[in-house]
């Protein structure tokens, strides 16, 4: 039986990031919902609201970076045996 190519193995390994992306996205959704609940009130000018905004931005960045990382395998060209 032939083994998988290195490129295929790398792509499969990076697919392991999918559950992590889902978890981080769920955290983002929770924080965004909390923040949205504060909108339209006098709570928008509080430190807590600012913290929620920063958390959302950070979580968005993490999701974006994980998605970018998943695509990196297409940029790697493994050398052949000969």
């Amino acid at each position: 039986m032939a083994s998988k190519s290195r490129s295929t193995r790398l792509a499969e390994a990076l697919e392991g990031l999918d559950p992590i992306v889902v978890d981080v996205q769920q955290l983002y959704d929770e924080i965004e919902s909390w923040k949205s609940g504060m909108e339209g009130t006098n709570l928008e000018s509080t430190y807590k609201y600012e913290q929620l905004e920063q958390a959302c931005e950070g979580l968005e960045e993490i999701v974006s970076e994980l998605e970018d990382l998943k695509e990196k395998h297409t940029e790697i060209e493994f050398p052949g045996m000969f």
Side-chain angles (χ1 to χ4, degrees):
M1 181 190 308
S3 63
K4 296 177 184 175
S5 71
R6 289 178 180 95
S7 181
T8 299
R9 290 172 29 213
L10 177 60
E12 288 174 353
L14 291 174
E15 285 175 7
L17 293 172
D18 288 341
I20 297 168
V21 171
V22 168
D23 288 344
V24 175
Q25 186 63 51
Q26 287 175 341
L27 286 168
Y28 171 84
D29 293 342
E30 290 173 25
I31 299 300
E32 178 62 31
S33 177
W34 183 2
K35 184 175 78 89
S36 293
M38 295 175 76
E39 292 173 359
T41 68
N42 62 349
L43 298 174
E44 289 180 54
S45 59
T46 64
Y47 179 65
K48 182 64 67 185
Y49 188 85
E50 183 181 318
Q51 287 178 306
L52 293 170
E53 280 186 320
Q54 290 173 354
C56 283
E57 290 170 7
L59 292 168
E60 276 183 313
E61 187 176 327
I62 290 170
V63 168
S64 176
E65 289 177 8
L66 288 169
E67 292 290 348
D68 289 347
L69 185 59
K70 285 173 37 180
E71 298 302 317
K72 289 287 185 188
H73 78 278
T74 60
E75 299 173 13
I76 297 173
E77 184 176 335
F78 289 99
M81 292 298 291
F82 302 99

